[in-house]
Amino acid sequence: MASEGVHESDDVSDETDDHRPAPEPQDDAVAAGHAVAAVAAGPSNGESVRVDSWIWSVRLVKTRSMGAAACKGGHVRVNGERVKPAHSVRVGDEVRLRHEGRERIVVVKRVIRKRVGAPVAAECYVDNSPPPPPRETVAPAGIRDRGTGRPTKRDRRELERLRDLPTSPGDASDPHRGAHGTARHNTRRGTQR
């Protein structure tokens, strides 16, 4: 009898396999999950979202306090005007953010309040930013290898020359130094060398 029960359940499972709908492609399921996550992160009916919270939610800045600091520093513009951190963001607004040596220009597609994953965040705005500069131009001049120790005076001068910094007080071009590079000291009795 136990074998009959096994056969009956096998017959039932065979019948249900024939009538199952085809599985949906994985991309559609992922896109549906993104849409659900973005809707869940959105504000309730009629609520607005602060600009500092929105730029953090869509991952333009790492923390909300960095977003607020960018607003206070005048690095965030909504529709061309500088805004405070509490300024409301609406769908269709153009948000310009100057951050980490780069300007980001985005148009708001969806307003969200909570931070979401990068794929979901990318669906919440249209990125009109210029391409980032190549890494070679961004790299600072004069990076020393690890373990080489302190730079010598010659190395330091070469680094300053690369960075176009004014020369240090120890250079011969210092007007307070004598011909041999020794500093003149003023005393109460007079000038001595």
Side-chain angles (χ1 to χ4, degrees), residues 110-158:
R110 181 178 293 145
V111 179
I112 60 173
R113 174 180 306 273
K114 297 178 184 173
R115 191 167 173 96
V116 292
V120 179
E123 295 174 358
C124 295
Y125 60 86
V126 177
D127 194 358
N128 295 331
S129 305
R135 286 193 162 228
E136 294 82 35
T137 60
V138 175
I143 294 180
R144 295 176 50 82
D145 293 330
R146 186 173 178 93
T148 57
R150 286 181 62 177
T152 62
K153 198 173 207 178
R154 180 179 179 189
D155 293 338
R156 181 182 48 79
R157 287 183 180 147
E158 288 176 4

Side-chain angles (χ1 to χ4, degrees), residues 126-193:
V126 177
D127 194 358
N128 295 331
S129 305
R135 286 193 162 228
E136 294 82 35
T137 60
V138 175
I143 294 180
R144 295 176 50 82
D145 293 330
R146 186 173 178 93
T148 57
R150 286 181 62 177
T152 62
K153 198 173 207 178
R154 180 179 179 189
D155 293 338
R156 181 182 48 79
R157 287 183 180 147
E158 288 176 4
L159 290 173
E160 288 175 350
R161 199 174 302 122
L162 284 173
R163 294 180 184 153
D164 293 329
L165 295 176
T167 56
S168 66
D171 289 345
S173 62
D174 189 5
H176 299 290
R177 297 220 173 240
H180 300 289
T182 58
R184 288 185 252 163
H185 299 285
N186 292 332
T187 63
R188 288 188 223 182
R189 294 185 185 153
T191 308
Q192 292 181 350
R193 275 195 144 172

Side-chain angles (χ1 to χ4, degrees), residues 34-146:
H34 291 320
V36 169
V39 169
S44 303
N45 295 335
E47 288 185 36
S48 60
V49 176
R50 296 168 51 114
V51 67
D52 63 339
S53 177
W54 186 81
I55 62 177
W56 166 73
S57 299
V58 296
R59 297 176 169 267
L60 295 178
V61 293
K62 289 184 181 179
T63 64
R64 183 173 171 184
S65 61
M66 287 176 77
C71 292
K72 289 176 186 173
H75 302 291
V76 177
R77 294 176 179 262
V78 175
N79 297 327
E81 63 182 61
R82 288 183 182 174
V83 294
K84 294 182 178 180
H87 184 81
S88 297
V89 176
R90 295 178 192 88
V91 174
D93 285 349
E94 179 189 64
V95 178
R96 290 176 177 255
L97 169 70
R98 234 175 342 144
H99 183 62
E100 296 178 349
R102 182 175 176 212
E103 184 172 21
R104 300 290 305 266
I105 304 169
V106 297
V107 177
V108 180
K109 275 177 43 177
R110 181 178 293 145
V111 179
I112 60 173
R113 174 180 306 273
K114 297 178 184 173
R115 191 167 173 96
V116 292
V120 179
E123 295 174 358
C124 295
Y125 60 86
V126 177
D127 194 358
N128 295 331
S129 305
R135 286 193 162 228
E136 294 82 35
T137 60
V138 175
I143 294 180
R144 295 176 50 82
D145 293 330
R146 186 173 178 93

